[in-house]
């Protein structure tokens, strides 16, 4: 089901861990403006910095140089993704990916995406065109070097091509051409034809072509700082590399952080300028139409189309799709006055030009459908908005810029540092009859034409000052007048419920909303289960269990798995019910040869039933008694199966299945968990990890990023993506954010230039990079590396006091670290302490990285050189240790987490034969720590009194572990 809307895939390189502080201006920090690229003038100068997660922070002398820098760095980091997108625009993917890509290539050529991009580029304002060209120049400058890092090019025998000035517009079009879900009209057409016109919207709910994005705004009345917070998560098809690129763009005119789309200059959807922040969700508007065309072949081989004024000559030409490992395929491109013909087959079964040529103007086929979409009609794509967004300082600036937005049509939330807020729809929706939104309409009837030059007025509303909450979640809300099918209201209601419970929200607390797993859409099925008649003993036990279930789709919940089993069985029983016979089984529209295979995900009946299950079980389709009978039969079947094979945790089944251009490159074994983690959530949860009910428990759609924009202190903002900043397999930052993303954690947005690492494409040749430059933890040489089965790889790297001070300060000052004794320390005091530790030959501090992500602080010391040595009889070979687990993990967040880390730490300590006994001295009140030590084999010793605490000694010998 992943041949749908979203089609970007990144690549890159970077550095490893968070650290944040106050925001510096674009001209501040070390060596400002000294990053001039070789062979360029001063006006093209730019600098490339990375934070510890490898996220690029770019700084340049002007907006054009900055655009060039963005293109250049994106080419280095995401060369494979960029070239994948360029080929998708041109319809040339099959030339290196083979026959599986032919369907897309045929569609994108028929839809004339590249030609539309050229038209839209030609209509750009001159200054915008120059800005886009600068980005493309940067891409072309960095693409060869980026491709040299990416193994995918060699795997398919592909050399990087050259981007044209209009290519970014083509990427935007190809990425969003299916976003409004026009293929759903094909499904409705089949439902009306097979089940009756009164059933056209029977399955109208969040379907395979839609998203599950969330966004919310809290005014100052709801936050701890008194300033607004904007947060959320776009839910799209998850791709590897990821569909969003975390980035910072700074020049004297602006300094913006946000989520860019690789291949597109600027930051379109989610950004924070330091003065105003914005976010979007899909408005679910309908703004593309399908027309049933009558075409005929002329004696000279041309094509005529029937319009309101009779037959006329249509545009037609033939192109050739090269296919790796197969013969080339011709495709006839036809365009009528309505738009490009995207569906049609001649008598020979090929394209409209195939088969025998009819004599005397006979129709060349019986199913021809054209697509009419705004950029093709108006020549406008809205790219003039993008640089204006970067320069916005207030919601008024943003509002003015968004008046020129075209597509996709979005709901926008925004807030500024003065407390201003914005809640509106942005985009272009044509004026035409309502039926155009529902079905395929006749091309020759003028009643279905668009009103030339007109657009539907777009809704807006004020953010309620007394309530202080605004929510957007694809629901039938602000954008209701613009669409047909919307997401159910559950996510929007749940987000509002959660936010309404507090008035002191902080950026970090937004993760509680991002990861909520309450499944309100389970109510109809469970209500029917409650009244299901005549259940046997096993089914009755299943009913009792599910009615006691808290309705949270948690990863460790076996009840959630049991519910999913019941739901799947009900979906299949409904698919076999006589009431749906016309669209299921052998009659499933998915099997029809009338439509290209590309559109089959929208035409498959079982997913449609699964997504519409809530409404199908509530009313309309079946009598109440029939619904009860279906659920009762499913309960009996699922209960019997559960007796044979008890359900496992939901997270074991509900795993990510991301899209990859080269899926055979997916790792096997334990490495596969890095790309296919098991998660909580479900389609209608706020944590909308959307599987396909009735088809699979795997999910391909989910949060493609998470963000929290703080208008009080931008450095307190947060973000995360599913994989990492780099798209290069084997890079330290290829998938280093996956553990954060999987558990719902967020990385800090670093805004202090002094906490970033200056780099170039060849750091060893960059005089600005010296041995004194802080190195990100993931890139430091490890003193110890150990694979812990079922946990991951643990690496110990030395603490760098200056680089790690922000990270460590955040850990040691949390309430849970009170036994560490540094709760009231400033960041500078923490730095000074670890700088002192670093100066001692007898004491050492290490960061423990779990699969590249900081997981703990681990310290060793020689007891006879430490005050603890005065409290007991030190033996030769004694080594003392301290351990602080990262707050993001928390006690018990992952079963056996601390024990797994201790396994690696003990392995490191005893890797030196001279070390005979480990000594620990936890606070005597820390019962959890003491119990853990005993469980690990430590022998408890006496309590000792130290100036800062009363501690309990514990000892672990090599002999106790059976080591020689």
């Amino acid at each position: 089901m992943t041949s749908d809307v979203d089609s970007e895939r990144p690549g890159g390189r970077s550095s490893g861990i968070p650290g944040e502080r106050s925001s510096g201006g674009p001209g501040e920090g070390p060596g400002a403006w000294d990053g001039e690229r070789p062979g360029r003038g001063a006006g093209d100068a730019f600098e490339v910095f990375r934070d510890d997660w490898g996220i690029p922070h770019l700084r340049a002398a002007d907006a054009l140089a900055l655009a060039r820098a963005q293109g250049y760095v994106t080419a280095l980091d995401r060369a494979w993704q960029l070239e994948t997108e360029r080929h998708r625009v041109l319809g040339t993917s099959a030339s290196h990916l083979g026959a599986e890509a032919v369907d897309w290539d045929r569609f994108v050529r028929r839809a004339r995406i590249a030609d539309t991009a050229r038209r839209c580029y030609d209509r750009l304002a001159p200054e915008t065109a120059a800005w886009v060209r600068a980005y493309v120049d940067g891409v072309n400058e960095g693409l060869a070097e980026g491709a040299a890092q990416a193994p995918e090019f060699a795997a398919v025998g592909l050399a990087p091509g050259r981007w044209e000035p209009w290519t970014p517009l083509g990427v935007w079009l190809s990425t969003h051409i299916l976003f409004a879900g026009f293929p759903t009209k094909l499904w409705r057409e089949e439902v009306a034809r097979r089940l009756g016109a009164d059933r056209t919207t029977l399955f109208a709910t969040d379907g395979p072509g839609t998203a599950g994005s969330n966004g919310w705004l809290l005014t100052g009345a709801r936050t701890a700082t008194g300033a607004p917070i904007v947060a959320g998560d776009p839910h799209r098809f998850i791709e590897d590399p990821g569909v969003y690129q975390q980035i910072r763009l700074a020049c004297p005119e602006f300094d913006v952080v946000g989520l860019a789309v690789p291949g597109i200059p600027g930051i379109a959807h989610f950004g924070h300028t330091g003065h105003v922040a914005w976010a979007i969700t899909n408005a679910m508007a309908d703004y593309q139409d399908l027309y049933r065309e009558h075409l005929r072949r002329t004696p000279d081989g041309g094509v005529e189309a029937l319009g309101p004024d009779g037959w006329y000559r249509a545009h037609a030409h033939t192109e050739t799709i090269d296919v790796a490992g197969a013969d080339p395929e011709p495709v006839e491109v036809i365009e009528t006055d309505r738009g490009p013909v995207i569906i049609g087959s001649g008598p020979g079964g090929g394209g409209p030009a195939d088969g025998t040529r009819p004599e005397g103007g006979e129709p060349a086929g019986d199913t021809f459908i054209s697509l009419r979409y705004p950029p093709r009609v108006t020549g406008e794509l809205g790219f003039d908005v993008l640089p204006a967004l970067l320069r916005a300082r207030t919601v008024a600036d943003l509002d003015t810029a968004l008046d020129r937005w075209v597509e996709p049509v979005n709901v926008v939330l925004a807030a500024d540092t003065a407390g201003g807020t914005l809640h509106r729809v942005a985009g272009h929706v044509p004026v035409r009859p309502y039926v155009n939104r529902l079905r395929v309409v006749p091309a020759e009837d003028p009643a279905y034409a668009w009103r030339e030059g007109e657009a539907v007025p777009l809704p807006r509303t004020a953010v309620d000052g007394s309530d202080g909450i605004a929510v957007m979640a694809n629901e039938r809300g602000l954008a209701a007048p613009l669409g047909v099918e919307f997401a159910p209201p559950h996510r929007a209601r749940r987000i509002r419920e959660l936010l309404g419970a507090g008035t002191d929200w902080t950026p970090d607390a937004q993760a509680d909303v991002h990861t909520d797993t309450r499944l309100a859409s389970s109510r109809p099925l469970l209500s029917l289960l409650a009244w299901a008649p005549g259940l046997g003993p096993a089914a009755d036990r299943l009913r009792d269990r599910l009615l006691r279930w808290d309705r949270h789709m948690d990863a460790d919940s076996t009840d959630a798995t049991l519910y999913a089993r019941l739901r799947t069985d009900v979906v299949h029983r409904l698919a076999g019910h006589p009431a749906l016979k016309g669209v299921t089984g052998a009659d499933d529209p998915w099997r029809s040869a009338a439509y290209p295979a590309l559109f089959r995900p929208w035409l498959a009946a079982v997913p449609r039933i699964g997504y519409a299950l809530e409404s199908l079980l509530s009313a309309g389709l079946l009598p109440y008694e029939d619904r009860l009978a279906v659920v009762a039969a499913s309960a009996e079947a699922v209960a019997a199966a559960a007796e044979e094979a008890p359900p496992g945790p939901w997270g074991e089944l509900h795993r990510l299945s991301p899209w990859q251009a080269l899926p055979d490159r997916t790792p096997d074994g334990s490495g596969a968990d890095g790309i296919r983690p098991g998660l909580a959530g479900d389609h209608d949860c706020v944590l909308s990890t959307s599987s396909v009910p009735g088809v699979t428990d795997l999910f391909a759609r989910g949060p493609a990023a998470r963000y929290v924009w703080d208008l009080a202190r931008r450095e307190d903002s947060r973000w995360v993506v599913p994989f990492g900043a780099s798209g290069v397999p084997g890079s330290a930052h290829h998938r280093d954010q996956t553990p954060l993303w999987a558990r719902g954690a967020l990385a800090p947005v670093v805004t202090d230039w002094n906490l970033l690492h200056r780099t170039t494409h060849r750091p060893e040749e960059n005089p600005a990079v010296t041995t004194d430059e802080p190195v990100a933890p993931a890139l430091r040489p490890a003193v110890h590396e150990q694979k812990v089965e079922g946990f991951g790889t643990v690496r110990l790297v030395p603490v760098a006091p200056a680089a790690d001070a922000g990270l460590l300060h955040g850990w040691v000052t949390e309430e849970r670290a009170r036994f560490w004794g540094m709760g009231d320390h400033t960041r500078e005091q923490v730095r000074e302490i670890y700088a002192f530790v670093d100066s001692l030959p007898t004491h050492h501090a290490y960061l423990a990285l779990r699969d590249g992500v900081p997981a703990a602080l681990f310290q060793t010391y020689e007891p006879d050189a430490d005050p603890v040595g005065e409290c007991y009889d030190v033996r030769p070979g004694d080594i003392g240790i301290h351990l602080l687990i990262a707050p993001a993990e928390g006690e018990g967040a992952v079963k056996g987490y601390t024990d797994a880390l201790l396994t690696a730490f003990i392995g490191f300590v005893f890797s030196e034969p001279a070390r005979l006994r480990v000594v620990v001295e936890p606070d005597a009140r820390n019962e959890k720590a003491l119990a853990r030590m005993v469980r690990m084999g430590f022998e408890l010793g006496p309590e000792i009194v130290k100036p800062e605490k009363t501690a309990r000694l514990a000892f672990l010998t090599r002999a106790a572990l059976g080591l020689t």
Side-chain angles (χ1 to χ4, degrees):
M1 301 296 292
T2 59
S3 58
D4 206 19
V5 205
D6 312 294
S7 312
E8 310 99 78
R9 2 233 172 267
R13 48 179 186 177
S14 327
S15 327
I17 288 313
E20 86 266 14
R21 227 66 216 139
S22 61
S23 174
E28 299 173 12
W33 317 127
D34 64 356
E36 183 177 328
R37 302 250 64 77
R40 301 289 173 190
D44 288 325
F46 62 81
E47 292 178 296
V48 180
F49 292 79
R50 306 275 185 175
D51 70 8
D52 285 345
W53 294 98
I55 296 167
H57 293 240
L58 310 179
R59 198 161 62 177
D62 57 48
L64 290 181
L66 187 59
R68 188 183 196 100
Q70 186 181 6
Y72 173 80
V73 166
T74 305
L76 289 186
D77 286 359
R78 298 171 179 263
W80 173 246
Q81 176 183 17
L82 290 183
E83 282 298 87
T84 297
E85 292 306 325
R86 187 179 66 84
H87 281 282
R88 285 173 64 84
V89 171
L90 296 173
T92 54
S93 299
S95 66
H96 57 279
L97 295 180
E100 289 187 0
V102 167
D103 289 330
W104 173 265
D105 285 354
R106 183 181 293 113
F107 164 70
V108 81
R109 288 171 184 253
R110 284 183 170 181
R112 309 204 72 184
I113 294 299
D115 185 69
T116 304
R118 293 186 191 97
R119 286 188 186 182
C120 293
Y121 176 81
D122 289 342
R123 292 178 62 92
L124 289 177
E127 58 273 20
T128 304
W131 180 70
V132 175
R133 281 198 305 273
Y135 180 88
V136 169
D137 287 345
V139 170
N140 286 327
E141 183 180 340
L143 198 53
E145 184 175 359
Q149 301 180 82
E152 295 92 342
F153 286 90
V156 298
L158 181 67
R162 185 166 185 82
W163 279 47
E164 299 294 336
W166 52 265
T167 303
L169 285 77
V171 171
W172 189 259
L173 276 168
S174 69
T175 297
H176 295 104
I177 189 65
L178 298 175
F179 219 69
F182 70 78
T184 296
K185 296 179 184 182
L186 303 176
W187 165 258
R188 294 195 204 107
E189 194 72 14
E190 292 301 314
V191 171
R193 185 171 65 85
R194 298 159 184 249
L195 300 182
D198 60 329
R199 299 290 196 185
T200 300
T201 59
L202 177 64
F203 301 87
T205 187
D206 191 11
T210 62
S213 301
N214 304 306
W216 58 91
L217 184 156
L218 294 164
T219 69
R222 287 280 180 182
T223 67
T225 64
I229 288 174
V230 178
D233 46 5
H235 286 66
R236 304 168 62 135
F237 279 102
I238 304 297
E239 301 175 10
D240 178 31
V243 301
Y244 284 112
Q245 174 190 30
Q246 299 152 296
I247 201 165
R248 183 184 186 182
L249 305 173
C251 68
E253 288 185 84
F254 51 79
D255 181 347
V256 187
V257 298
L259 302 170
V261 175
I264 310 298
I267 294 169
H269 284 160
F270 310 96
H272 192 329
T273 73
H275 306 281
V276 61
W278 71 94
I280 62 95
T281 57
N282 185 352
M284 311 296 284
D286 186 277
Y287 50 89
Q288 301 165 330
D289 285 349
L290 296 178
Y291 289 87
R292 180 171 289 103
E293 300 278 0
H294 293 285
L295 305 179
R296 66 185 183 186
R297 188 76 65 192
T298 62
D300 63 357
V303 174
E304 289 183 337
L306 181 63
D309 298 322
W311 291 95
Y312 64 94
R313 186 86 170 195
H315 171 91
H317 71 272
T318 300
E319 299 179 7
T320 301
I321 301 173
D322 291 327
V323 185
D327 293 334
E329 294 201 16
V331 55
E332 187 174 28
V333 178
I334 299 173
E335 185 166 14
T336 73
D337 287 350
R338 268 69 56 195
V341 175
I342 60 168
I343 296 172
S345 56
D354 297 340
T356 59
R357 183 174 300 164
E359 301 295 333
E362 290 299 316
D366 57 359
T367 304
F368 294 98
I369 295 175
S370 63
L371 171 66
R372 190 169 180 83
Y373 58 103
R376 187 67 186 164
V377 175
T378 66
E380 299 285 351
L381 192 53
F383 261 47
D384 289 318
V385 175
L386 299 181
L389 294 178
L390 300 177
R391 295 183 172 94
R393 299 178 70 85
T394 67
V395 291
D397 296 339
L398 201 74
D399 195 16
T400 300
L402 290 170
D403 285 340
R404 294 172 288 164
W405 189 267
V406 176
E407 77 166 53
V409 179
N410 296 321
V411 177
V412 182
L413 283 174
D416 60 31
T417 52
T421 58
L422 178 68
H423 190 185
R424 64 165 291 180
V425 177
H428 181 97
V429 179
V431 178
R432 78 279 202 216
Y434 180 78
V435 69
N436 288 40
R437 301 184 192 177
L438 291 174
R439 297 177 60 177
V440 182
V441 294
E444 70 276 11
D445 191 335
Y448 301 103
W450 291 10
R451 294 187 192 173
E452 187 173 352
E454 294 189 42
V456 176
L458 298 177
R460 62 173 61 234
T461 188
V463 177
D464 188 337
S466 59
D467 182 48
I469 300 171
V471 177
M472 52 182 183
N474 314 122
E475 79 281 14
R476 189 181 299 274
L478 185 64
L482 307 177
V484 176
E485 299 194 19
F486 296 83
H490 308 303
R491 287 184 289 110
R493 290 174 179 170
R494 181 61 173 169
I495 292 168
R496 183 171 288 278
E497 175 189 352
L498 293 169
L499 295 175
T503 56
D504 59 349
W505 285 97
T506 65
D508 286 338
Q510 304 309 302
D512 295 338
V513 183
H514 281 132
T515 57
D516 187 77
T517 60
R518 174 77 174 179
L519 187 67
S521 61
S522 62
R523 184 190 60 79
L525 176 52
L526 294 179
S527 295
L528 289 169
L529 179 63
W531 294 99
L535 296 184
D540 196 46
R541 288 192 296 273
L542 177 144
R543 170 165 57 191
D544 290 344
R545 179 174 174 180
L546 285 181
L547 293 181
R548 291 195 303 269
W549 174 46
D550 64 6
R551 303 189 187 184
H552 282 265
M553 300 296 284
D554 293 332
D556 61 355
S557 172
T558 56
D559 290 342
T561 303
L562 197 60
Y563 170 79
R565 286 184 181 181
L566 180 66
R567 178 176 62 185
T568 293
D569 196 88
V570 169
V571 167
H572 285 287
R573 289 180 189 275
L574 287 177
H577 196 279
L580 290 179
K581 184 179 185 305
V583 293
T584 58
D587 296 321
D588 193 327
W590 180 84
R591 301 176 184 275
S592 173
Y595 304 114
L598 182 70
F599 301 133
R600 285 180 180 168
W602 287 268
L603 294 166
V606 171
R608 288 284 178 184
I609 295 169
Y611 285 123
L613 185 63
E614 183 181 13
S615 59
L616 293 176
L617 291 179
S618 297
L621 176 65
L622 303 178
Y624 179 67
E625 291 74 15
D626 286 7
R627 284 178 266 150
L628 282 176
V630 166
V631 173
S634 291
E636 295 288 359
V638 171
E643 296 281 312
E644 296 289 329
W650 177 233
E652 290 184 2
L653 301 174
H654 192 58
R655 291 186 172 275
L656 174 62
S657 180
W659 187 96
Q660 294 176 293
L662 292 177
D664 58 327
R665 299 186 66 81
T666 301
D668 296 323
S670 61
D673 290 340
I675 190 172
R676 294 197 178 101
L679 260 67
D682 197 48
H683 187 69
D684 290 321
C685 300
V686 177
L687 180 54
S688 183
T689 48
S690 184
S691 56
V692 186
V695 177
T696 179
D697 291 324
L698 299 175
F699 67 94
R701 285 190 290 145
R706 295 190 185 99
Y707 59 89
V708 180
W709 303 141
D710 187 6
L711 274 300
R713 286 165 44 89
R714 188 170 67 162
E715 61 268 32
D716 289 339
S717 298
R718 300 287 186 267
W719 55 8
V720 74
V721 293
F723 297 117
S726 170
V728 179
S731 161
H733 304 294
H734 186 209
R735 293 180 186 148
D736 60 338
Q737 293 186 53
T738 300
L740 287 180
W741 177 81
R743 67 176 183 263
L746 299 160
V749 173
V750 181
T751 58
D752 186 342
W753 295 98
N754 294 295
L755 298 178
L756 301 172
H757 315 291
R758 186 190 287 107
T759 183
T760 68
H761 58 307
R762 291 190 179 91
E764 70 278 8
E765 298 176 5
N766 181 7
V769 179
T770 69
T771 55
D772 296 327
E773 182 79 11
V775 178
L779 299 183
R780 298 173 199 162
V783 299
H784 181 72
E785 182 170 327
Q786 182 172 338
K787 177 70 179 295
V788 180
E789 190 65 33
F791 181 75
T793 299
V794 177
R795 298 176 69 245
L796 296 182
V797 301
V799 165
D804 299 336
L807 174 69
L808 297 179
H809 179 258
W811 291 2
V812 302
T813 55
E814 287 217 352
E815 167 60 22
R816 64 185 303 281
R818 61 189 180 278
F819 296 122
W820 206 253
M822 298 168 68
D824 59 350
H825 284 40
T826 66
R827 178 183 180 280
E828 179 59 21
Q829 287 173 323
V830 171
R831 186 199 65 77
E832 291 175 352
I833 288 172
Y834 284 97
F836 174 70
V837 170
D838 192 46
S839 71
L840 300 175
T842 55
H843 291 62
H844 303 281
Y846 306 97
L847 281 178
L849 310 180
R850 178 197 181 199
D851 295 330
V853 178
L857 172 63
F858 180 61
Q859 296 176 213
T860 64
Y861 62 91
E862 295 179 16
D864 57 3
D866 189 88
V868 75
E870 301 174 1
C871 301
Y872 84 104
D873 293 330
V874 178
R875 297 180 185 174
D878 277 0
I879 181 75
I881 65 172
H882 298 299
L883 171 63
L884 177 64
I885 301 297
E889 297 298 342
E891 293 288 341
V894 176
K895 187 176 181 181
Y897 190 91
T898 303
D899 288 354
L901 285 173
L902 276 170
T903 298
F905 299 154
I906 298 303
F908 165 60
V909 169
F910 284 139
S911 64
E912 292 190 18
R915 292 173 177 169
L916 304 178
R917 186 170 68 157
V918 173
V919 181
V920 296
E921 32 143 344
D923 192 297
R925 298 167 296 169
N926 194 342
E927 296 178 357
K928 283 187 177 180
L930 292 170
R932 181 180 299 111
M933 296 306 169
V934 171
R935 189 168 63 247
M936 293 291 293
F938 281 79
E939 180 180 343
L940 295 181
E943 289 190 358
I944 59 174
V945 178
K946 300 179 66 180
E948 72 278 11
K949 66 180 180 181
T950 298
R952 182 76 178 268
L953 292 173
F955 305 93
L956 178 68
T957 64
R958 294 178 69 91
L961 297 177
L963 302 175
T964 57

